[in-house]
Amino acid sequence: DASLAEVNSFSPSVPISPTSMINQYKFEDGPELRDLFITVDDPESHITAIETFITYRVVTKTTRGEFDSSEYEVRRRYQDFLWLKSKLEEAHPTLIIPPLPEKFIMKGMVERFSDEFIETRRKALHKFLNRIADHPTLTFNEDFKIFLTAQAWELSSHKKQGPGLLSRMGQTVRAVASSVRGAVKNRPEMFIEMNNYMETFSQKINLLDKIAHRIYKEEREYFNEMKEYGPIHTLWSASEEDIAESLKGIASCIDRCCRATERRMAGLSEHLLPILHEYVLYSEILMGVLKRRDQIQGELDSKVDALASKKTEKDLFSEEIGKLEDKVERANKALKADWDRWKQNMQWDMRSTFTNVAEDNLRYYEE
């Protein structure tokens, strides 16, 4: 990239600082007209005879006419967010639904129900709802509106109106049946390219995720060693009068390095790890969306094959094929539009994430 080459061609006469370097990489994020603002905050622990769980306050402010009020405040637990995600996937099978954090923390980073875990989850849930609010289609979903506005008993009542067990089993059986029909014969080139892109993206983002966790682990081990190493020099200075001042100076230096490393770890856990892991989850979601699009295409292909082999019922088959063709076209258009939005957001997130990490590293080494 020529622009990056220019940025890296530093002149010796120009002072280099984190700000001057980083500003050359940043690009403007144009303001958008928004009419729905959502905040997730104030986590509360609830302990019952059978379970312990956390609820979060969800505050919504809006100027939309379809809402009865301009402001709502409700409390939601993680299971409610899971329900919303499943309803969005059910209503919009070929749209890219934002990921939720997993139910249990992975890789032993923090303990469940610790303050750090709860805060990490709160941020992820806040981002989940705001990504939906910013989506041109998902933001107008009726279940999303109910999630934001209904009190706990109203939401519980609404959940019970969903499809019954037999209906859900039927959907599962159909999904499994369609997934084993084999490769789609007439998959458009655009979706072949998407599939290839996601396979490569999935491999690379998973590798980046592993590397980032390894870096964080090494930083934490280094930090713990320095915490023990500094006081040793202070104790040593008490028994070595001739070099006491030098030893105290080293102890002070180690202490400053320790604090700088702690800030660097905080930057990694805030700027890098959550974003990379979010896109690990996104890669799984994208592969699922592409499979669901293929299932619709496969259903159309099977009907076309059936029509070609049958001489009777041609009118009935032609009508079904027409409906399936419309369904495939709608699915293709929805996924294509969402794909473009997702790639743009992903590139922005990755660039800003690595820019923040670079800025933190520059500051760390200067300190």
Side-chain angles (χ1 to χ4, degrees):
D1 189 314
S3 63
L4 295 186
E6 288 172 11
V7 170
N8 286 322
S9 301
F10 295 116
S11 167
S13 62
V14 178
I16 300 169
S17 69
T19 305
S20 64
M21 287 179 67
I22 297 304
N23 284 344
Q24 296 181 69
Y25 288 97
K26 291 193 174 181
F27 54 95
E28 293 184 3
D29 184 21
E32 295 180 5
L33 295 174
R34 295 182 62 188
D35 55 7
L36 187 63
F37 298 87
I38 304 169
T39 305
V40 179
D41 61 11
D42 191 26
E44 280 185 8
S45 297
H46 301 263
I47 301 173
T48 68
I50 57 174
E51 64 176 339
T52 299
F53 61 93
I54 309 293
T55 63
Y56 301 85
R57 182 174 66 175
V58 179
V59 177
T60 304
K61 296 181 180 180
T62 183
T63 56
R64 290 185 185 174
E66 66 265 26
F67 286 83
D68 296 330
S69 175
S70 61
E71 187 169 343
Y72 296 87
E73 181 179 316
V74 296
R75 296 204 71 86
R76 297 287 181 254
R77 56 184 296 184
Y78 181 77
Q79 288 181 356
D80 299 326
F81 287 86
L82 275 180
W83 169 83
L84 173 61
K85 184 172 184 291
S86 69
K87 295 298 286 185
L88 291 173
E89 288 174 343
E90 182 184 314
H92 309 282
T94 55
L95 290 183
I96 303 167
I97 312 300
L100 274 174
E102 295 97 337
K103 187 170 179 61
F104 299 104
I105 199 72
M106 303 297 287
K107 303 181 188 297
M109 293 296 293
V110 290
E111 293 181 8
R112 190 165 179 249
F113 297 132
S114 69
D115 290 344
E116 187 181 351
F117 170 79
I118 292 170
E119 176 60 13
T120 299
R121 171 166 285 182
R122 183 201 66 75
K123 287 179 180 177
L125 297 177
H126 176 88
K127 180 179 280 190
F128 170 73
L129 292 183
N130 278 279
R131 285 198 188 279
I132 296 170
D134 291 339
H135 192 283
T137 302
L138 300 178
T139 188
F140 297 107
N141 178 275
E142 187 63 24
D143 289 305
F144 180 49
K145 178 185 172 185
I146 289 168
F147 177 92
L148 296 177
T149 61
Q151 293 304 311
W153 65 269
E154 293 174 310
L155 182 64
S156 179
S157 175
H158 180 72
K159 285 181 181 180
K160 292 173 183 175
Q161 298 172 12
L165 176 61
L166 292 176
S167 173
R168 291 199 300 273
M169 285 177 63
Q171 292 169 2
T172 304
V173 169
R174 286 197 298 275
V176 172
S178 58
S179 67
V180 298
R181 284 177 185 158
V184 177
K185 292 184 296 184
N186 300 314
R187 182 192 286 162
E189 183 67 26
M190 176 199 312
F191 299 106
I192 294 174
E193 291 175 4
M194 280 188 195
N195 202 70
N196 293 338
Y197 181 96
M198 284 315 302
E199 286 179 359
T200 304
F201 179 84
S202 179
Q203 292 172 1
K204 295 197 174 189
I205 200 71
N206 274 281
L207 181 60
L208 281 171
D209 188 50
K210 289 177 183 175
I211 291 170
H213 277 91
R214 191 178 73 218
I215 290 170
Y216 183 86
K217 182 184 175 186
E218 289 172 357
E219 287 289 314
R220 187 171 55 186
E221 290 171 353
Y222 177 54
F223 170 74
N224 290 335
E225 286 179 5
M226 278 199 296
K227 278 174 67 177
E228 296 177 5
Y229 191 48
I232 289 172
H233 285 75
T234 305
L235 292 171
W236 187 9
S237 67
S239 59
E240 294 281 359
E241 290 184 10
D242 293 345
I243 56 172
E245 290 305 313
S246 297
L247 291 171
K248 286 178 182 177
I250 292 172
S252 175
C253 176
I254 293 171
D255 182 57
R256 289 199 300 275
C257 288
C258 199
R259 291 198 299 270
T261 303
E262 189 171 25
R263 286 192 291 273
R264 190 186 193 194
M265 287 165 55
L268 288 171
S269 64
E270 182 176 346
H271 296 147
L272 183 63
L273 298 179
I275 299 295
L276 290 179
H277 194 64
E278 181 184 19
Y279 279 94
V280 167
L281 300 177
Y282 256 129
S283 69
E284 297 169 4
I285 288 168
L286 261 295
M287 295 302 282
V289 169
L290 286 166
K291 283 181 181 176
R292 288 195 288 274
R293 194 221 70 87
D294 282 354
Q295 287 168 4
I296 298 170
Q297 178 83 54
E299 194 176 350
L300 172 61
D301 291 346
S302 66
K303 290 290 183 185
V304 171
D305 290 343
L307 178 62
S309 63
K310 287 191 175 184
K311 294 180 181 178
T312 58
E313 303 177 354
K314 281 201 171 184
D315 291 341
L316 178 62
F317 267 76
S318 297
E319 185 179 346
E320 288 186 20
I321 287 171
K323 289 179 180 177
L324 281 169
E325 285 174 341
D326 291 342
K327 190 175 179 182
V328 169
E329 186 178 354
R330 288 197 303 272
N332 290 350
K333 284 182 178 178
L335 179 50
K336 176 64 171 64
D338 239 19
W339 172 260
D340 292 339
R341 285 184 75 258
W342 178 82
K343 277 192 76 174
Q344 187 176 7
N345 288 339
M346 180 270 290
Q347 288 163 358
W348 160 255
D349 283 343
M350 288 297 155
R351 185 176 293 192
S352 60
T353 294
F354 285 109
T355 299
N356 285 331
V357 172
E359 195 168 18
D360 286 347
N361 283 348
L362 286 163
R363 191 182 301 111
Y364 169 78
Y365 284 113
E366 281 194 340
E367 290 173 5

